[in-house]
Amino acid sequence: SGSAAGERQAVERWSGTTWREEEAVQVGYRQRATPTTTMRALLRVGCGGSARGRHLCTSSGAALAHARLREQLASVKQQLRSLETAHPELRESRDGLEDELKTLVAANPDLRSERHASDAFAPPKLHHINVVSREVTGLLEFYRDVLRMDEMPIEMFPRTGMTAAGAGSDVPISFTTDGHMQMHLATRDLGVAFRSGEAINPIGVGPIGHIAFRTDDIDAFKRHLDAHGVQYADYGTRFARDWHQIFFLDPEGVIIEVHAVLR
């Protein structure tokens, strides 16, 4: 059947050797009318359906597998909010990803407590720390080779790039992960705020550019900031095509990012 063929294709591509093939599978999943079979294939192969899948879950590659599952999980959750009525099978995909994440990570506590139960958004969870430098090769080598973090393929982070008007940024950037959080290693860009018409430059002053958290409802979180009198720079999708990002300052002037996955 067509579903079986699609599932076999997902397995074959996931078992390949290039990250671009893996990205093609993810794009194909988003475009399918019935994505459940493809997602099941990714889950099975990710932790045992192939030699590569077993390697991801039994060696240092597990950190990268975990980071990839987190990104997939966030994407599926967002799709569920907008497409659940038309595509109820997405709930099954989400449940499968959550089960896989719990298997891969021995402890994955839910940070939501009773005092946050009335919030319209999930409590933001640490996602990444951004470090800026004039040249990122040395940073990448340090976090990858010394701290033994896994380098993440750039294809996992679709970027918007600089607009014709100069907003946003297209400077070189690298990504690493320990499986729980990420390091975003960016080339310093002093002109981002000026070009974008914003008051905060998240990749201008270093070495720590910003500390980033992820929530599930960026509009609800912006209302939360408004209620607390916290001003923020709303960059939207100027940096990342699939993330809505806002930036603000903590009481000591550290730049904080909060973002939500859009798709």
Side-chain angles (χ1 to χ4, degrees), residues 193-213:
F194 296 103
R195 296 195 306 267
S196 302
E198 299 290 350
I200 295 176
N201 183 346
I203 55 173
V205 178
I208 302 300
H210 58 269
I211 302 173
F213 297 80

Side-chain angles (χ1 to χ4, degrees), residues 87-101:
H87 297 284
E89 68 274 16
L90 287 176
R91 180 174 293 278
E92 182 179 351
S93 297
R94 184 197 65 178
D95 292 343
L97 279 171
E98 289 179 337
D99 290 343
E100 184 76 5
L101 190 58

Side-chain angles (χ1 to χ4, degrees), residues 235-254:
Y235 273 81
T237 58
R238 288 180 214 163
F239 291 125
R241 190 181 67 199
D242 297 340
W243 296 359
H244 187 137
Q245 297 168 288
I246 62 174
F247 299 88
F248 49 95
L249 304 178
D250 78 359
E252 290 297 324
V254 177

Side-chain angles (χ1 to χ4, degrees), residues 10 13 29 56-57 129 131-132 150 160 181 202 209 219 225 228 237 243 254:
R13 290 188 176 180
Y29 159 68
L56 287 175
C57 294
I129 297 174
V131 180
V132 297
D150 286 329
T160 306
M181 57 83 65
D219 291 327
L225 291 182
H228 284 267
T237 58
W243 296 359
V254 177

Side-chain angles (χ1 to χ4, degrees), residues 138-158:
L139 282 175
L140 174 60
E141 292 174 351
F142 177 83
Y143 285 99
R144 182 191 62 203
D145 301 336
V146 178
L147 290 184
R148 293 305 196 194
M149 300 181 80
D150 286 329
E151 182 177 0
M152 305 178 72
I154 192 69
E155 291 86 354
M156 288 183 65
F157 300 89

Side-chain angles (χ1 to χ4, degrees), residues 14 40-58 61-62 65-66 68-69 99-105:
W14 187 277
R40 284 174 176 167
L42 297 182
L43 292 176
R44 280 205 304 274
V45 177
C47 272
S50 69
R52 182 183 178 192
R54 288 190 294 274
H55 168 73
L56 287 175
C57 294
T58 58
H66 175 238
R68 182 166 55 247
L69 284 168
D99 290 343
E100 184 76 5
L101 190 58
K102 290 175 183 178
T103 300
L104 188 64
V105 183

